[in-house]
Amino acid sequence: VEVNSMLSRLKEFSGRIEISGGIFDFDIKRDRLTEVELELAESSVWDKPEYAQSLGKERARLESIVLTIEKLQ
């Protein structure tokens, strides 16, 4: 019962996100995720380990957001 209640609330919030004009700007986050993935696919990015690590963290954060929102749609 609690799970259904939570899912209902998440769907409600998802609708609010769309109505709000995209406070979270899903399209920009999805596009940025694609950019980060392409950059990480370049072998030269690993010449700068700290930068590559920051991209990896950004990718993980963006994947979490994008996948969560896609599941709600």
Side-chain angles (χ1 to χ4, degrees), residues 3-69:
V3 173
N4 288 335
S5 175
M6 290 174 65
L7 287 174
S8 176
R9 291 190 70 198
L10 284 172
K11 288 179 183 179
E12 178 185 334
F13 289 131
S14 175
R16 288 183 186 175
I17 291 169
E18 291 176 18
I19 292 169
S20 72
I23 291 172
F24 302 106
D25 218 343
F26 173 69
D27 291 334
I28 290 174
K29 287 186 179 0
R30 186 177 50 204
D31 291 347
R32 177 61 183 153
L33 176 59
T34 300
E35 292 172 6
V36 169
E37 288 173 334
L38 289 172
E39 197 165 352
L40 285 170
E42 293 292 325
S43 60
S44 62
V45 77
W46 302 104
D47 294 339
K48 301 175 185 174
E50 289 178 8
Y51 180 63
Q53 184 178 16
S54 72
L55 283 177
K57 288 178 181 179
E58 183 179 5
R59 178 184 60 194
R61 183 181 59 81
L62 290 168
E63 278 179 338
S64 176
I65 293 167
V66 168
L67 292 175
T68 299
I69 293 174

